[in-house]
Amino acid sequence: MADTKEKMPLVRQIFTIPNMMGYFRIILIPFIVWRYLTAETIVDYRVAALIIGVSGITDFLDGFIARKLNMVTELGKALDPIADKLTQGAIVLSLSFRFKWMIPLVVLFVIKEGFMGIMGIIFLKKGMMLDGAKWFGKVCTAVLYVVMFILILFPEIPIAAANSMIIVCIALMLLSFGMYIPVFYKMWKEVH
């Protein structure tokens, strides 16, 4: 089965249903940012939240379809996390214009994802790849998405509640970052 995936022509890899969903999620990013940053009414915020919801559903479906229909590709393995991180980064940055506690989260996000990206490139050059997101990374991402969705869906949320949720995200991101370091260290020892 792995042989058929490797022999799939590049054109077919580019245009698989899951990869098309990944491209679609990237295309949605400017619409999410624009709708949120220009929002003037509750309906505008709800539309931004709806677009995020569509992006999230598409994110779930692309992985599900890739596995069920045997459409897992190397391109898709790279595209999915890129679409995730671009979406998360754009939303966190957009929210930082309204919620001051988002600024440390933006900084931490850039540091963590920069570290993950650099390590990913280093190991890719050595023929290794992180075998998917770890459970702690998935929990961090899920909580981040839920918090971002709530903050956009309910723009009149009390600032204390918003700050509490953002602080939880910061704590989980620090924990996830800290737990990824030994994973990469172990990979490093395997190649050296």
Side-chain angles (χ1 to χ4, degrees):
M1 198 170 290
D3 291 337
T4 58
K5 288 178 198 168
E6 290 173 17
K7 292 179 183 176
M8 184 185 293
L10 181 60
V11 173
R12 281 197 53 212
Q13 286 189 40
I14 292 170
F15 294 108
T16 64
I17 294 168
N19 290 352
M20 296 296 282
M21 290 179 167
Y23 308 140
F24 177 68
R25 285 175 29 228
I26 292 170
I27 290 168
L28 286 178
I29 295 169
F31 294 99
I32 295 167
V33 172
W34 170 77
R35 183 69 285 168
Y36 178 75
L37 292 179
T38 63
E40 295 178 1
T41 67
I42 295 293
V43 173
D44 294 338
Y45 287 107
R46 301 276 157 82
V47 170
L50 177 67
I51 299 169
I52 293 170
V54 169
S55 179
I57 290 167
T58 308
D59 183 22
F60 168 76
L61 287 176
D62 71 359
F64 179 78
I65 290 170
R67 288 183 295 276
K68 286 292 180 187
L69 300 180
N70 195 25
M71 293 182 172
V72 175
T73 64
E74 292 304 312
L75 175 62
K77 288 178 185 178
L79 179 64
D80 186 58
I82 289 170
D84 286 345
K85 299 312 169 191
L86 289 174
T87 302
Q88 292 166 17
I91 298 169
V92 168
L93 184 60
S94 297
L95 285 167
S96 72
F97 288 96
R98 181 177 167 136
F99 300 100
K100 289 181 183 174
W101 272 98
M102 272 291 174
I103 295 170
L105 186 61
V106 169
V107 172
L108 179 58
F109 180 85
V110 169
I111 292 169
K112 176 185 175 277
E113 296 309 326
F115 170 79
M116 299 286 290
I118 290 167
M119 295 307 288
I121 290 168
I122 289 170
F123 285 112
L124 196 57
K125 286 182 177 181
K126 296 182 179 294
M128 292 180 75
M129 210 169 154
L130 189 63
D131 190 26
K134 302 298 180 193
W135 69 267
F136 41 86
K138 290 180 180 181
V139 169
C140 178
T141 298
V143 171
L144 181 62
Y145 265 117
V146 168
V147 168
M148 292 185 308
F149 187 76
I150 290 169
L151 294 178
I152 291 175
L153 187 62
F154 303 107
E156 296 173 346
I157 190 168
I159 198 69
N163 289 344
S164 297
M165 289 189 290
I166 294 167
I167 290 168
V168 167
C169 286
I170 291 170
L172 285 174
M173 195 169 289
L174 278 169
L175 178 67
S176 174
F177 186 23
M179 293 178 80
Y180 268 116
I181 292 171
V183 171
F184 283 115
Y185 180 72
K186 183 179 176 188
M187 289 172 68
W188 185 264
K189 286 181 72 174
E190 287 176 17
V191 295
H192 288 94

